[in-house]
Amino acid sequence: KELVGSAELAQYKLSDFHEIDKDCIRTLKTIGIKTAKQLLDVGHTGIGIKQLSENTGIVQDDILELVKLSDLARIPGVKKIRARLYHNAGLDTLAKMAKCDAEKLIKISTDYINKSGFKGIPPTLKEAEHTVTMAKYLTNTLKKKLLLFKK
């Protein structure tokens, strides 16, 4: 089955994410992984992440970070900077986002921006509501199928 959002992710290059290790991206390209969808197809399990690490020499934590960013990017409107904002603010999985309401998502984002000086803006109420709704939908859809990100 196709992952929700995978058609858009097929066009989304890993190199488009904000604050990523360019060497990691170059290495993944050498094995044919250039897009968020390609990375999720291979690295959506702990075993997949481990195999990618063994095959490329990339540290598992670096691959996991890219997998998490790619998974967050399945939510329309959460790409480049917004995916990085949520990830860095501690909302690095759909499950964590799904436990929020819109106000909490805004507060966590705003607090992180104020504390860190992150170059981005928190979501509007409408954006936050959409993000949380999609995170809940995607989390519930995947509960029976996927794994996601246990260390």
Side-chain angles (χ1 to χ4, degrees):
K1 284 194 164 191
E2 281 287 300
L3 286 174
V4 174
S6 64
E8 187 177 70
L9 290 182
Q11 305 302 316
Y12 194 77
K13 294 180 180 151
L14 293 172
S15 59
D16 289 340
F17 284 117
H18 189 64
E19 297 178 4
I20 50 134
D21 182 337
K22 301 293 184 191
D23 290 334
C24 181
I25 299 303
R26 278 192 287 278
T27 301
L28 288 170
K29 276 185 183 179
T30 66
I31 62 167
I33 298 175
K34 301 173 194 161
T35 68
K37 182 180 182 317
Q38 289 170 330
L39 181 63
L40 286 176
D41 286 346
V42 176
H44 69 274
T45 65
I47 292 169
I49 290 168
K50 183 178 180 189
Q51 288 174 340
L52 273 174
S53 178
E54 290 170 356
N55 293 340
T56 62
I58 299 170
V59 176
Q60 286 186 41
D61 285 345
D62 291 345
I63 294 170
L64 178 60
E65 176 182 7
L66 278 170
V67 168
K68 286 181 175 184
L69 289 167
S70 296
D71 200 43
L72 293 177
R74 293 176 49 221
I75 298 174
V78 177
K79 302 291 182 271
K80 301 178 183 187
I81 294 174
R82 194 57 59 85
R84 174 56 67 188
L85 169 61
Y86 293 147
H87 182 278
N88 288 7
L91 299 171
D92 60 348
T93 66
L94 293 172
K96 289 178 184 176
M97 291 180 121
K99 291 179 182 175
C100 291
D101 59 24
E103 290 80 15
K104 185 175 180 181
L105 182 75
I106 293 168
K107 180 176 178 2
I108 290 170
S109 301
T110 302
D111 289 350
Y112 177 75
I113 290 167
N114 291 337
K115 178 180 76 174
S116 69
F118 184 83
K119 302 284 188 241
I121 59 172
T124 64
L125 181 59
K126 186 175 179 178
E127 290 169 335
E129 287 170 346
H130 173 73
T131 297
V132 170
T133 298
M134 285 301 299
K136 287 178 181 180
Y137 170 75
L138 292 168
T139 301
N140 289 333
T141 301
L142 298 176
K143 266 185 189 166
K144 295 177 186 160
K145 296 184 227 170
L146 289 181
L147 28 81
L148 279 216
F149 316 121
K150 294 192 176 167
K151 277 190 157 188

